[in-house]
Structure formats: C-alpha cells, structure tokens
Amino acid sequence: FKDMIRTLNKGEEFLVIGGGDTPTTNPLTKLFFEKIHRERSKKRIILKIIFSEARRKSLRKMAMFPYTIPRYLPYGTPSTINIYKDITILLVMSPEPAGIRIKDKRITESYRKNFSVMWKIAKP
C-alpha cells in the first residue's frame, strides 16, 4: 500500500475488487487503512473499488475520503485484488493477513480488463 502511494501520481487510478466480506475488527488494521486513504486522497489518487452489496453501509466512512468511487455487486469474496501500474496484489486479511504481489504487465492488464467488465455491471 505504501508502494501504491509512492508510485501513483495525481489522477492515476488504484483499482480494487473485493475487500473482504466483512469489515475488519482489528483497530490497528483500521488505523492503517485510514492513514493510507488519507495519504491517497491528499495525493489525489483515484480509488475505484468494487465491493459486495452487503458492505455498502460499512463503507460510507471510506466514501468520505475524496477521490473514492465505490460500486457494488450482489456477491462478495473474502479476498481482494489490488491493481495499479503494472502490479497486481492478491490479498486476504483474515484470519491472518496474507498476500501475493505480482509485478507483470500482462498479468496486471488481464486483471484490469476483468475489473473493467465488473465495473460496468456493478451498481453505484
């Protein structure tokens, strides 16, 4: 996440599919993500995020950060896919955080295309 803040510039996009089926209850994790989103917003990095409809109410707080554009699908997943530049991160937060970071233009482009299709059918 710190790499995303460091490498993206004003107006560039950080794309996220998922975000877990339930919000995190860990106070340190909440604090970490609030800090990341404050830094992202300050730098004017656009977050386009696709969540499950079940998370709509819990994400009102995140939508208060500028440059955040959420959309919702009727289903969710416990994992998250983060996409920026030529990087794809596959992440799960619970029960223990685990992630795989892939730096590859072809792989990231394939995930970006999947995001685009999902974005078109997701509801604002």
Side-chain angles (χ1 to χ4, degrees), residues 37-103:
H37 287 295
R38 275 195 305 275
E39 291 177 23
R40 177 190 59 77
S41 296
K42 184 177 178 181
K43 203 170 170 187
R44 298 181 181 179
I45 296 168
I46 298 165
L47 169 64
K48 287 185 174 179
I49 187 163
I50 301 171
F51 277 114
S52 71
E53 191 62 50
R55 293 283 312 270
R56 186 183 287 270
K57 289 181 183 177
S58 68
L59 294 172
R60 288 195 179 129
K61 188 174 182 180
M62 180 188 290
M64 293 185 339
F65 289 104
Y67 310 100
T68 301
I69 308 167
R71 288 202 179 173
Y72 303 91
L73 290 173
Y75 54 87
T77 174
S79 64
T80 305
I81 301 168
N82 299 298
I83 305 161
Y84 67 99
K85 297 281 188 184
D86 62 347
I87 296 176
T88 302
I89 300 171
L90 309 175
L91 181 68
V92 66
M93 293 301 291
S94 65
E96 294 294 322
I100 300 169
R101 182 178 182 269
I102 304 166
K103 184 173 181 174

Side-chain angles (χ1 to χ4, degrees), residues 29-41:
T29 302
K30 286 181 180 182
L31 188 62
F32 172 78
F33 281 110
E34 285 180 15
K35 181 180 177 187
I36 289 296
H37 287 295
R38 275 195 305 275
E39 291 177 23
R40 177 190 59 77
S41 296

